[in-house]
Amino acid sequence: MATFLYRLGRLAFRRRRVVVMLWVAVLAAIGIGAMSAPGTSSGALSVPGTQSQRAIDLLQKEFPQASADGATARVVFEAPSGQKLTSAAHKAEVESLVAKLEKSPQVSGVTDPFAGGLVSKSGTIAFVQVSYKVAQADVSGAAHAVQTDVVRQGEKAGLKVSLGGNAVKDKAASKAAELIGVGVAAVVLVITFGSMIAAGLPLLTAILGVAAAILSVTLATHFFDLASATTTLALMLGLAVAIDYALFIVSRYRNEIRDGHEPEEACGRAAGTAGSAVVFAGLTVIVALSGLSVIGIGMLTSMGLASAFAVAVAVVIALTLLPAMLGFAGTRIMKGKMQTRRMKALERGEGESMGVRWAKFVTRNPVKVLAVAVAALALLAIPAMSLQTALNDDSGKPPGSTQRIAYDTLSKGFGPGFNGPLTVVVDARGSDDPKAAAQDAYTMLSKLDDVAAVRPPSFNEAGDVALLGAVPKSAPSSEATKSLVGEIRGQGAALHQDTGADLMVTGLTAVNIDVSTKLSDALIPYLAIVVGLALVLLLLVFRSIVIPLKAALGFLLSVVSTLGVLVAVFQWGWLKDLFGVDQTGPIVSLLPILLIGVVFGLAMDYEVFLVSRMREEYVHGAEPTHAIVQGFRHSGRVVTAAAVIMVSVFSGFLLDDAALIKSIGLGLASAVFLDAFVVRMTIVPAVMALLGHRSWTLPKWLDRILPNVDVEGEKLRHALEAEQPDSAPEPVLAGAAATVHAGSDDHGARRVFTGVRSSDDTETQAPAQQADATEPQAPARRTLLKNPLRRS
């Protein structure tokens, strides 16, 4: 692997113009194809095998006019203070607006509030149910325009008119989060490298990679029906990992330049070592995201596969386009005009970075550090024991939005259950008396405590399938409504035994409940598949039993702690004012499983980046504790920068008004923060310090079976040294490990380690033998000889 990537990096560096032109051609071709694509379509949830989905399929066959899977809208009218909608003038105005809705494109039916009993007892509030022939994502602009006209005309007549339901178009999402994320990323990269060129390359290649991925996903809509949220997740993750991967390779390239290698050779070595880590880090993310397809929900499958594709593109971009761009940058990437005095001192080998000092502190006090870190995560995880999930509805829309106003007005006039009515289907095709079976179902529903109203049965043309409606007293996302759906379904068994008819519950509320249940049931199998496959990958990378197990257990700690944070804020209401949460409620069902998929991938990124450098030092002869410190010396600053960028990007979503977006932003930001800084940079080195050599042990029988993927570039190093004997590193004592790059970004003069260390891991530094490493004219310290690995 390392040898192949070494050759690929050198080839891309040498043929940089061809590589860039090929990528431009690919982007142009994909862009042309995407221009004619239909785009993402249905955002509706389809859950095959559930009772609600079976009922929808039956209704489509027996009640095609009902548009069972079509979008719906509720138009809520409220009379001015002190007046009633039943007055002649207001009633005429409402009827005029109802007539306008009936003529709207794509509408299959509109209820009459005055004839259908949809006026509140006070006579001040009424609502109209509008059913569309098409799914939510297919509601046309003309239909949305009619909705807007109805609101405008009603308000002009003095009425308060608001819109709810999934057929209503959401307000365009703000791009503030993305802009903030890119801005913070730019600042962090400049601080990390002290160079505009070094900071700009990761951003440039990341943006190009995300553009290629998003255009490809759009192009795929020619052939597949993709959920509307697919591109959003692919954009977010694609940008995140692309910056991470480019940051890691650019940092290694700069290290190789300081080590005296010519730019092309430095690029090849960076691709062979850091590039190998990028490949396997990307594979873990792809595994985690692709695993979403095992859940069996079409929307999650499309989101997971599209995001996995975006990550794959980010890996390919980092291994091909980035080396080509490094070819154009050359040694100019070393010019650090924006470096601070401390960064320059670290380059000269003076002092130690914060990462090195922290690593030494942890390795000197592993038991205390481990106990404190685990205890802190355990305390944060306690609220997760009270986790409740439900799919988002209009109650979670931003305050002041038309959907939220409609929800609150309807709750005030009729009760919260009217926002989520249940559709009850009686399949009496196997019954001797379908009408009696439907009447029995009606009677049963009327006697239930949590049912506020029941609509009498209506039959299909054959008279053997009945459709009833039941309105709960409780809110759609409440536990009481979930219990009511379970109770109605439980009564279906008795109905079937008495009449031979089957009873099913569907509607948006029932579908949401079924989706939540399916997601909860899939959580453990999904974890098992994702963690299992990733353990195999990490086993190949690190050739150790302990490292993969430690990585997986650390990830589980960070996920449970993050769920605890979400429950405390959004469910219990702790610090809700700080985060702008106006009301508490269950956590959105999709969030835990998305959180697991996304965070597992990012967590394994940090694990591979940090621990792979530790292993590289270890296999080169360093003692276990010293390898940990050196891993932080070389990769600590990069991992910190990547984590800060991710936390900042995700925190930007807290500025959104919607509770769903806020919860996603807080969840991802908390997870990355806890995993990167508490798990990877605290618990991981503490455990490895305690285990010592045992961290890297592998049974001999397993060592013989596993292929050697050479992520640390050991084979590559031996091949290069064998072909260039005159350019070997300065001699050191037998058994010693030589390394370079003092400082937090590997800046500094060569250090020679004799293998003898004091209790605080101090090193003996060799005198600096080179000029300022930032000068591109500095003479190379090694003579580069031709060898089979360097094909010119």
Side-chain angles (χ1 to χ4, degrees):
M1 171 68 77
T3 302
F4 169 76
L5 294 178
Y6 168 84
R7 290 172 175 170
L8 179 63
R10 287 178 60 91
L11 177 65
F13 186 100
R14 191 165 55 249
R15 306 295 185 187
R16 48 190 172 272
R17 290 180 177 81
V18 175
V19 172
V20 171
M21 290 176 62
L22 285 175
W23 271 108
V24 170
V26 168
L27 276 172
I30 298 173
I32 293 172
M35 290 175 62
S36 59
T40 54
S41 54
S42 176
L45 286 171
S46 175
V47 195
T50 60
Q51 187 184 106
S52 55
Q53 189 62 45
R54 292 198 305 270
I56 288 173
D57 296 339
L58 179 61
L59 289 176
Q60 287 177 335
K61 179 181 177 182
E62 302 295 337
F63 291 88
Q65 71 279 5
S67 301
D69 62 341
T72 59
R74 289 182 297 277
V75 184
V76 183
F77 302 96
E78 185 175 9
S81 180
Q83 301 181 35
K84 294 187 177 183
L85 290 175
T86 51
S87 66
H90 290 323
K91 183 177 181 180
E93 181 63 29
V94 170
E95 288 177 340
S96 170
L97 295 175
V98 169
K100 189 168 189 175
L101 287 168
E102 289 175 341
K103 298 177 182 177
S104 173
Q106 301 176 317
V107 167
S108 62
V110 180
T111 59
D112 185 333
F114 301 104
L118 303 180
V119 180
S120 66
K121 293 180 180 178
S122 64
T124 59
I125 297 173
F127 74 95
V128 174
Q129 188 82 5
V130 184
S131 301
Y132 289 85
K133 301 175 183 177
V134 296
Q136 171 187 351
D138 299 322
V139 177
S140 65
H144 288 306
V146 172
Q147 295 173 1
T148 304
D149 290 343
V150 166
V151 174
R152 187 184 300 114
Q153 183 178 330
E155 291 179 344
K156 189 176 181 180
L159 302 176
K160 296 178 182 178
V161 186
S162 52
L163 304 171
N166 62 356
V168 180
K169 190 175 183 179
D170 284 323
K171 183 180 178 181
S174 171
K175 298 299 181 183
E178 289 86 344
L179 294 176
I180 290 173
V182 172
V184 171
V187 172
V188 172
L189 289 170
V190 169
I191 293 174
T192 301
F193 292 124
S195 163
M196 290 297 293
I197 296 177
L201 282 182
L203 283 177
L204 176 60
T205 54
I207 290 171
L208 291 175
V210 167
I214 296 303
L215 288 174
S216 298
V217 171
T218 305
L219 180 63
T221 59
H222 274 299
F223 315 101
F224 306 102
D225 183 21
L226 301 180
S228 54
T230 298
T231 53
T232 302
L233 186 62
L235 171 64
M236 180 175 64
L237 286 180
L239 186 63
V241 300
I243 293 175
D244 276 7
Y245 298 162
L247 171 63
F248 198 55
I249 292 177
V250 168
S251 177
R252 189 59 180 258
Y253 172 76
R254 284 161 57 91
N255 299 341
E256 298 294 341
I257 290 288
R258 287 192 198 93
D259 201 24
H261 296 293
E262 292 182 353
E264 183 179 332
E265 175 69 9
C267 183
R269 289 174 179 253
T273 51
S276 297
V278 164
V279 168
F280 281 92
L283 280 175
T284 58
V285 184
I286 292 169
V287 165
L289 293 172
S290 300
L292 291 171
S293 58
V294 306
I295 297 170
I297 297 178
M299 184 180 74
L300 275 180
T301 298
S302 64
M303 291 171 66
L305 293 179
S307 300
F309 176 76
V311 173
V313 171
V315 172
V316 176
I317 284 277
L319 297 177
T320 56
L321 181 60
L322 180 59
M325 300 301 291
L326 290 174
F328 288 108
T331 55
R332 288 176 297 173
I333 202 171
M334 304 301 297
K335 294 182 179 179
K337 295 182 179 179
M338 304 183 71
Q339 289 178 325
T340 63
R341 182 178 300 177
R342 175 174 172 75
M343 292 174 68
K344 293 178 180 179
L346 289 173
E347 281 193 351
R348 295 191 299 269
E350 300 171 3
E352 291 179 334
S353 67
M354 290 182 61
V356 171
R357 292 200 299 269
W358 173 251
K360 289 184 176 181
F361 171 77
V362 172
T363 53
R364 282 197 300 264
N365 307 278
V367 176
K368 295 178 181 178
V369 170
L370 182 62
V372 171
V374 172
L377 291 180
L379 285 174
L380 287 175
I382 290 175
M385 299 173 65
S386 303
L387 176 67
Q388 297 176 358
T389 60
L391 281 186
N392 199 35
D393 57 22
D394 285 351
S395 65
K397 297 294 183 182
S401 65
T402 186
Q403 295 99 323
R404 180 65 176 274
I405 294 171
Y407 184 95
D408 293 340
T409 304
L410 205 56
S411 298
K412 179 175 68 174
F414 298 89
F418 276 79
N419 285 289
L422 304 175
T423 300
V424 180
V425 180
V426 177
D427 182 4
R429 290 175 294 180
S431 174
D432 296 333
D433 191 347
K435 290 187 177 180
Q439 187 60 40
D440 288 350
Y442 177 79
T443 304
M444 178 269 294
L445 292 171
S446 302
K447 293 179 179 179
L448 296 177
D449 293 336
D450 198 37
V451 173
V454 182
R455 189 181 68 214
S458 57
F459 286 87
N460 61 342
E461 292 183 3
D464 53 7
V465 178
L467 185 63
L468 300 87
V471 178
K473 293 179 181 178
S474 48
S477 59
S478 67
E479 284 295 311
T481 299
K482 184 177 180 179
S483 299
L484 175 62
V485 171
E487 186 177 1
I488 294 173
R489 288 172 171 171
Q491 295 285 347
L495 181 69
H496 179 78
Q497 185 175 358
D498 294 340
T499 66
D502 292 323
L503 183 145
M504 295 178 286
V505 184
T506 187
L508 184 59
T509 300
V511 169
N512 288 351
I513 290 172
D514 287 344
V515 169
S516 297
T517 302
K518 192 174 183 73
L519 288 170
S520 298
D521 293 343
L523 200 58
I524 300 303
Y526 174 66
L527 264 177
I529 292 173
V530 168
V531 173
L533 290 176
L535 284 176
V536 173
L537 285 175
L538 292 177
L539 184 64
L540 290 173
V541 172
F542 297 120
R543 306 190 70 79
S544 162
I545 297 293
V546 172
I547 299 298
L549 290 175
K550 170 185 56 62
L553 291 175
F555 156 73
L556 293 176
L557 264 178
S558 61
V559 165
V560 175
S561 302
T562 301
L563 291 176
V565 171
L566 290 173
V567 170
V569 174
F570 290 93
Q571 199 171 301
W572 292 0
W574 293 3
L575 300 177
K576 67 175 186 178
D577 293 334
L578 177 64
F579 294 105
V581 179
D582 66 302
Q583 69 174 17
T584 59
I587 305 301
V588 179
S589 303
L590 296 174
L591 184 55
I593 208 154
L594 272 179
L595 191 71
I596 288 171
V598 173
V599 175
F600 186 83
L602 295 178
M604 293 306 104
D605 275 3
Y606 302 140
E607 178 79 13
V608 171
F609 291 163
L610 191 61
V611 181
S612 64
R613 196 60 192 259
M614 296 179 189
R615 175 170 171 76
E616 184 176 343
E617 296 295 330
Y618 179 77
V619 299
H620 290 173
E623 290 296 316
T625 301
H626 183 65
I628 294 171
V629 175
Q630 287 303 101
F632 271 81
R633 184 186 304 281
H634 298 304
S635 299
R637 188 179 182 89
V638 177
V639 171
T640 300
V644 169
I645 290 172
M646 292 303 99
V647 171
S648 303
V649 169
F650 297 141
S651 296
F653 290 96
L654 287 169
L655 300 176
D656 200 286
D657 293 329
L660 171 62
I661 305 301
K662 282 181 181 290
S663 63
I664 291 174
L666 179 62
L668 293 177
S670 301
V672 171
F673 177 84
L674 293 174
D675 197 271
F677 296 111
V678 181
V679 175
R680 306 303 151 192
M681 302 187 77
T682 303
I683 293 179
V684 165
V687 171
M688 294 179 68
L690 287 172
L691 293 177
H693 288 285
R694 288 171 294 180
S695 296
W696 306 105
T697 57
L698 187 69
K700 292 182 179 180
W701 64 268
L702 188 57
D703 186 52
R704 290 193 298 268
I705 295 174
L706 292 178
N708 188 353
V709 295
D710 192 29
V711 172
E712 67 278 355
E714 182 70 2
K715 291 181 179 178
L716 173 63
R717 185 175 69 89
H718 288 316
L720 292 175
E721 289 178 353
E723 293 298 328
Q724 46 179 337
D726 296 337
S727 60
E730 294 90 342
V732 296
L733 295 178
T739 186
V740 295
H741 324 317
S744 58
D745 188 26
D746 304 339
H747 305 126
R750 170 173 297 274
R751 292 174 180 259
V752 180
F753 298 98
T754 64
V756 181
R757 302 186 312 281
S758 63
S759 59
D760 61 349
D761 284 324
T762 56
E763 301 97 23
T764 303
Q765 182 179 340
Q769 299 178 0
Q770 63 178 37
D772 187 354
T774 62
E775 289 298 326
Q777 293 82 13
R781 294 183 302 180
R782 299 185 178 185
T783 304
L784 300 175
L785 303 180
K786 292 184 178 180
N787 65 71
L789 291 175
R790 303 194 189 105
R791 297 176 178 175
S792 55

